Amino acid sequence: MPLPPSGKTAWPPPQLAVPHADMETWHAWYAGDTDHLAQVYGGPGGLSTNPAARSFFELNRPAQYRGGIVGAAARMFWGQPLTPGQPAAKLHIPIAGDIAEMSANLLWADVPRVVADKDSTDSADSTTAQLKRYLDDRGHSKLREAAEIGAGLGGVFVRVVWDTSVQQRPWLDVIYPDAVVPEWRWGRLAAATVWRELEPLVDASEVWRLLERHEPGSIEYGLYRGDVDTLGMQMAVVDHPDAEWLAGRIDAQGRQATGVDRLLVHYLPNVLPNRLWRGVKGAEPLGRSDYAGVEPLMDQLDEAWTSWMRDLRLGKAHLLIPQSMLDTDGPGSGGSINLDQEVRVALNMLDEGGKDSITQVQFDIRVEEHERTTRALRLQILSSAGYSAQGFGEAGAIAATATEVVARKEESFTTRGLKLLYQRPELVEVLRTMMVVDVAHCGARGIDPAAELTASWPDAVQPDPEVQARALSLLESAGAISTWMKVRRLNPEWDDVEIAAEVRRIREDQSLASPAGDPFGTGGGAPGEPEDEPEGGVVDAGADEGQDDEVEPAAEAA
């Protein structure tokens, strides 16, 4: 399917109106922009930060001013019109941003281990080494950034890009989901149109858009000049300074060959299925936001905090004084009172119920009621989003073992495991595309893009070193573990080459400490013995180091 034709083509496509509207709402919560929240829920209050959804929220909705259930559902706290003469005093608690950040940290706090299967390629070691380079600090931080955006908006697109004048290998570009028009085939991404708005040139009412449609093997570019709702006429790329760089790269049809037979754009869903967009064309494969269904609770949390702060404002002491106590400089000059004046002349008046006395007014501050309410709302929001309150400091900083931490954060770790089900296969596909581009355009040698890849994440909670050392010591005393397996359990992220090197170093240290090799007959072999390192440098994990399989005669007789 080519790029849209010139004319009154609606943009973004109307079939994405519902997903884009929901993404706009989620983005308002994720960003924590109070003007954006007020505008999304109630009409005027700040323009949308996303031009794609601007037309949905430019005008105030009539439902905001209706009574009954319809008005209440459409309005919510952030949509309530301001009372004339009252200052804007609504407060926002950025719990949505905290949830997205926590999700990204759970997934990408540590770098996953991606290795090439040695049975599928002869260059497994060099391929694995190159995969580590892709997941360096820059690549790691990009994927973490993508995960945070995906948690808030339901998913995120990443694009493989390259420029050998900047870096000698490809890298990733993160794209917000409402800036891509995806095309699916049996639930898989088959093509994608990435678009963005360019700066206006002369007429500020004109909207310039640059579209790039990605297919396996090619990218088609189109520059359009239209308005807020339509694409308008297709222009030459040289007509706008931000697109003229494409003139030397595309052919007469606006196409650029990528030199690879894979799609350069990939979609990383947050979690599936999407409960909101069933039946919406082209939206069912899109992921579900952590905020889906939790927006009313976050709205109520903001209302509760605003009420609490309103109590603080109203709780300030006020004095009601009679007019006769005011100092005046003459007719028409008004009156004032100096609260710091210590000596005053008593007024000679009759006592008429204290109307001429000073009255203090100070309302109660309902601290306990508000604290219980906000805490309950916060706990329910975190639980509905799939996270444990322990990870957000609800239980305080309490020293605990790894087992206790896992028990307290069980809900968060369950959500982490669910999200990894969707992250793992997409990460493998992204890295495979990077290898194909690396070989085709960056001159990479000795790597095999067709190799089978395996991605594994380290445990979210590292075991207590003391507990782990005690367990290994007990296993060694029982003769139930080899040196190879001890090193692997202590360093699960290491590959076989690193483990073999560490085993050799351990044996060398043991030989220096015990020159005779095994003076006490414990069965520990000297360096280089077959049971330590069999052929291929890999030790049989099931073999008991230093243990003889034969049954001793005394034991046999017994």
Side-chain angles (χ1 to χ4, degrees), residues 8 19 59 74 86 99 130 139 179 239 242 252 301 307 311 324-325 332 360 388 391 396 425 430 473 528 530 541 555:
K8 296 293 184 180
L59 300 177
Q86 293 290 332
I99 289 174
Q130 188 68 355
D239 291 339
D242 292 340
L301 179 62
S307 174
D311 269 18
S324 57
M325 296 185 65
Q360 177 180 335
S388 303
V430 168
S473 178

Side-chain angles (χ1 to χ4, degrees), residues 313-320 359-363:
R313 290 195 307 272
L314 297 179
K316 296 178 181 178
H318 297 275
L319 296 179
L320 300 181
T359 304
Q360 177 180 335
V361 178
Q362 187 170 17
F363 297 100

